[in-house]
Amino acid sequence: ERERLYLGFDFGTSGARFAVIDIGGTIQAEAKRHYPLYSNGESRDWVRSWKETLFLLLQDIPPNLRKHIVSISIDGTSATTIILDSDTGEPLCRPFLYNETCSEALPAVKSIAPPNHTVCSATSTLCKLVSWWNRDGLNEKSALLLHQADWLLWLLHGKLGVSDYNNALKVGYDPEADSYPSWLISQPYSHLLPSVVAPGTPIACLKEELRNKFGFQKECVVCTGTTDSIAAFLAARVTQPGKAVTSLGSTLAIKLLSNTRVEDSRFGVYSHRLDDKWLVGGASNTGGAVLRQLFTDDQLKKLSEQINPSQISLLDYYPLPKAGERFPIADPDLAPRLLPRPENDAEYLHGILESIARIEEKGYGLLKELGATAVDQVFTAGGGANNEKWTKIRERVLGLPVSRANQTEAAYGTALLAIKGDQQNIL
Ligand code: ADP
């Protein structure tokens, strides 16, 4: 039997990666590229950088593997938005980046959306769409909105106008009803909205010219993607409600698989749909950034070795790089608390790690209070996942099994989506 391989791309904030995996999840090839710097007058030409990176990464895939790849998927940064000509696929203006704010459109969005809806944030895709509509909309008869991932996928399959319900959440798509809500459909710009299917749904075969140019096989399908942070969660292969992934990077982010959908804009908590379950998330400003202000990574390693994780630290801190917290405490003025500092640095670090663990515990507790499935096991991603003493402290504080996630690369997560797409391929 011929080997079947699956290709996932991750288009993150600083660069892009691919992963090629087999059906058992073993990585056959992977690589990363930074975005090349192109400018367009005074601003950066992101569309060109992304497109070029996609094709450079395709070339980076070992030629002997390409002919075995049967399915492809791509993730992009959430709320990165491209408005294009629906006849030609050419962008009508520069893209709106994930973190770009369109505050001028916020009052209009708030006036049509339900209170505290995900779109009621100046970075939402809908604010970007409304901002474009008010500026250029009346002059463009045939425009279409796509997210970064949708547009990159389109370069591969050529069928314009398809998105997934993870990327479409911030434009206002209702993943529970599986439709756009009536308050959005009734807007004069609603004809720009793409059609929406589940992540990992086959859209079309890889374009013939690309198949021939790169040596992919005839049956290779291109599937809808997701956002970069959801793809990173998918990489951990968490499939049971109650299982969660804590990301201990510069900040602390938690994501819990739940049977119920939970939203609370006060805490920045919202849920993404994952088939018949919900991925509930919250993000605290505590995390590794504070550790980096105090210690080098080398010091962190050496000091951690001196910690006895079964001993309770009574030092009670709230480590923040600057004032302000959203989750699990909603207080834009919350002050960092890192005093008193004991003379012994290992003791100090122990207190900080334990305090961050208590914030993590409070976070999972809050999700449960808000109605999510109770957490029963935690996997860890990010720089903090390598600290075994911290893991032991967290096990004690959370009262749950805690371990490292085997895979944490978003590209691995989209390769898993490509498997999903291949398994339901009826094209
Ligand atoms: P991000 O991608 O969010 O910048 P990473 O996942 O790369 O973060 O993790 C980097 C963070 O991990 C840094 O903030 C650093 O303080 C923290 N870190 C590095 N080594 C350790 C360690 N041994 N113990 C705890 N934290 C660590």
Side-chain angles (χ1 to χ4, degrees):
E1 191 183 305
R2 276 172 59 201
E3 194 180 9
R4 297 176 80 77
L5 297 178
Y6 307 89
L7 169 59
F9 288 97
D10 161 46
F11 279 72
T13 50
S14 68
R17 294 172 187 263
F18 78 79
V20 175
I21 68 175
D22 61 26
I23 191 73
T26 304
I27 296 170
Q28 303 292 328
E30 56 184 340
K32 172 178 180 145
R33 277 184 184 265
H34 289 283
Y35 298 127
L37 216 152
Y38 293 121
S39 57
N40 201 344
E42 60 256 50
S43 64
R44 267 188 85 162
D45 188 346
W46 282 110
V47 162
R48 187 175 166 201
S49 296
W50 297 330
K51 182 175 177 175
E52 199 117 322
T53 304
L54 175 65
F55 289 106
L56 287 170
L57 285 172
L58 280 171
Q59 269 169 19
D60 291 340
I61 300 168
N64 60 319
L65 297 184
R66 292 180 202 166
K67 59 179 177 292
H68 297 295
I69 291 170
V70 294
S71 181
I72 306 174
S73 186
I74 302 181
D75 74 61
T77 47
S78 179
T80 296
T81 308
I82 308 180
I83 312 276
L84 29 105
D85 185 316
S86 56
D87 295 325
T88 64
E90 282 307 309
L92 289 170
C93 59
R94 62 169 194 85
F96 295 90
L97 296 186
Y98 63 101
N99 59 355
E100 208 169 315
T101 54
C102 290
S103 312
E104 73 284 0
L106 196 52
V109 167
K110 281 187 168 165
S111 74
I112 54 167
N116 297 324
H117 193 282
T118 325
V119 297
C120 298
S121 145
T123 56
S124 77
T125 313
L126 187 55
C127 281
K128 288 160 181 163
L129 170 55
V130 169
S131 168
W132 177 83
W133 179 255
N134 289 337
R135 199 183 61 205
D136 299 336
L138 292 176
N139 305 321
E140 303 290 352
K141 290 285 163 282
S142 57
L144 168 71
L145 178 148
L146 287 181
H147 307 91
Q148 181 190 24
D150 312 333
W151 184 78
L152 288 161
L153 286 162
W154 167 72
L155 293 174
L156 300 182
H157 61 66
K159 219 174 117 180
L160 259 183
V162 188
S163 187
D164 65 84
Y165 55 59
N166 294 156
N167 271 300
L169 190 77
K170 288 183 179 170
V171 81
Y173 190 79
D174 180 345
E176 199 161 1
D178 223 346
S179 61
Y180 287 106
S182 53
W183 57 261
L184 185 52
I185 288 299
S186 59
Q187 299 305 317
Y189 43 78
S190 65
H191 62 280
L192 271 84
L193 297 169
S195 64
V196 176
V197 293
T201 302
I203 306 165
C205 286
L206 181 63
K207 279 186 191 174
E208 192 179 348
E209 58 173 285
L210 296 177
R211 222 163 63 205
N212 296 336
K213 184 174 173 201
F214 293 100
F216 284 84
Q217 65 162 281
K218 207 172 170 187
E219 291 79 39
C220 184
V221 291
V222 181
C223 309
T224 50
T226 184
T227 67
D228 58 346
S229 62
I230 293 179
F233 178 87
L234 294 176
R237 299 194 99 156
V238 166
T239 52
Q240 298 297 312
K243 312 280 180 231
V245 175
T246 296
S247 176
L248 290 172
S250 315
T251 61
L252 180 151
I254 68 178
K255 285 201 166 65
L256 167 70
L257 204 56
S258 169
N259 287 315
T260 45
R261 182 183 191 181
V262 171
E263 316 260 321
D264 195 316
S265 58
R266 286 175 302 165
F267 299 106
V269 169
Y270 60 93
S271 300
H272 271 288
R273 183 173 163 189
L274 288 181
D275 296 319
D276 56 347
K277 299 182 190 71
W278 295 93
L279 182 57
V280 186
S284 164
N285 292 331
T286 194
V290 183
L291 296 175
R292 217 162 242 177
Q293 285 175 357
L294 297 163
F295 305 109
T296 66
D297 285 7
D298 207 40
Q299 283 175 311
L300 281 177
K301 226 173 159 171
K302 294 214 168 82
L303 291 171
S304 294
E305 281 165 20
Q306 299 170 37
I307 293 173
N308 174 4
S310 55
Q311 194 184 319
I312 296 170
S313 170
L314 296 173
L315 295 166
D316 182 29
Y317 303 131
Y318 207 106
L320 293 171
K322 58 180 192 318
E325 176 68 308
R326 179 95 177 267
F327 173 89
I329 297 175
D331 178 358
D333 302 317
L334 187 75
R337 191 167 72 241
L338 281 156
L339 295 171
R341 178 171 181 157
E343 252 165 50
N344 183 304
D345 275 346
E347 213 177 296
Y348 190 39
L349 179 62
H350 187 169
I352 295 171
L353 297 180
E354 186 136 353
S355 297
I356 295 176
R358 284 192 289 261
I359 295 168
E360 183 183 3
E361 198 241 337
K362 200 171 161 126
Y364 283 115
L366 177 61
L367 294 188
K368 188 181 171 207
E369 256 173 61
L370 296 174
T373 302
V375 62
D376 59 33
Q377 187 178 6
V378 175
F379 297 91
T380 318
N386 303 319
N387 189 324
E388 283 167 28
K389 296 292 175 83
W390 200 3
T391 303
K392 288 258 155 53
I393 292 171
R394 292 168 56 226
E395 280 204 311
R396 171 167 53 74
V397 172
L398 294 169
L400 297 171
V402 178
S403 57
R404 267 187 67 145
N406 282 331
Q407 296 290 341
T408 56
E409 283 299 343
Y412 188 91
T414 49
L416 292 172
L417 276 184
I419 293 185
K420 178 188 173 192
D422 180 48
Q423 287 170 346
Q424 44 177 254
N425 185 13
I426 47 158
L427 289 176

